[in-house]
Amino acid sequence: LARFVYRDQRIRDYFDLQIWVCVSTKFNEVRLTLEILEHVCEDKQEYENISNFNILQEILMRNIRNKRFLLVLDDTWEDKDRNGWTKLLAPLKSNQVNGCMVLATTRSTSVAKMIGTMDEVRLSGLDEKGFWLFFKGCAFGNENYEGDPSLQSIGKHIAKTLK
């Protein structure tokens, strides 16, 4: 869903900058700042040999100033380092342009609450029948597949496990 929103033409037209960063399980504010800078800086030489977090954050602040941005923090798991999140997001929150947005994708309610950029939106999975059609489309190339019954039986078992 986040990728669909990120690629939508209305989003592209609305935001000056679109930034997608995969956070994963290894939260590191320097690495994440460098990845954000890859999206916002035209010249990589501006930041590529810098490892000082404060200087990187100043470069980030300078490059997002007066720009409306969408930052997607994808696959976020870190919920222990509140201070690290505060430091990472500080230049983004100090931007004076209205309409900027930080969107975090996570499977953890505690992460959503800690980042707290907005109220969480919970997505539930598909019902069993809908998921089976989706699974058949992915596995067999056609949601109407009615071939080998043993393959279908195995597929239904996998689909039930995946939910």
Side-chain angles (χ1 to χ4, degrees):
L1 180 60
R3 192 163 299 281
F4 177 79
V5 169
Y6 186 80
R7 291 181 177 159
D8 189 274
Q9 189 60 48
R10 293 168 292 183
I11 298 298
R12 292 178 183 276
D13 293 342
Y14 182 79
F15 292 101
D16 301 313
L17 298 169
Q18 288 180 258
I19 308 156
W20 185 287
V21 177
C22 184
V23 179
S24 197
T25 56
K26 293 185 173 127
F27 178 83
N28 177 302
E29 57 265 16
V30 172
R31 175 186 65 87
L32 294 171
T33 303
L34 284 167
E35 287 189 32
I36 293 169
L37 286 169
E38 287 179 19
H39 290 274
V40 301
C41 291
E42 292 181 21
D43 185 5
K44 195 173 187 172
Q45 291 179 339
E46 189 176 352
Y47 63 87
E48 73 180 339
N49 293 320
I50 298 172
S51 59
N52 180 290
F53 180 68
N54 291 330
I55 293 172
L56 291 171
Q57 291 277 285
E58 288 173 15
I59 295 168
L60 176 58
M61 209 174 322
R62 189 170 57 245
N63 279 278
I64 64 169
R65 186 175 293 126
N66 300 321
K67 293 181 181 166
R68 186 178 301 139
F69 64 83
L70 166 65
L71 169 62
V72 177
L73 299 168
D74 188 36
D75 194 27
T76 308
W77 290 92
E78 175 58 53
D79 65 352
K80 306 283 187 276
D81 190 359
R82 183 176 299 272
N83 188 42
W85 278 110
T86 301
K87 290 188 316 188
L88 174 69
L89 297 174
L92 304 168
K93 289 182 175 182
S94 69
N95 194 349
Q96 299 298 312
V97 177
N98 288 330
C100 294
M101 180 63 62
V102 176
L103 172 67
T105 67
T106 183
R107 297 180 198 175
S108 169
T109 304
S110 61
V111 169
K113 288 180 180 171
M114 188 199 61
I115 294 174
T117 57
M118 61 181 270
D119 293 337
E120 67 182 72
V121 177
R122 295 179 147 263
L123 300 177
S124 58
L126 298 171
D127 63 36
E128 196 171 319
K129 182 179 178 187
F131 188 75
W132 172 237
L133 291 174
F134 172 72
F135 183 85
K136 281 198 311 185
C138 293
F140 304 117
N142 181 351
E143 68 182 34
N144 297 318
Y145 177 81
E146 296 298 332
D148 187 335
S150 64
L151 282 180
Q152 286 206 56
S153 175
I154 293 168
K156 284 183 180 180
H157 180 71
I158 293 169
K160 190 177 265 188
T161 303
L162 293 175
K163 298 181 183 174

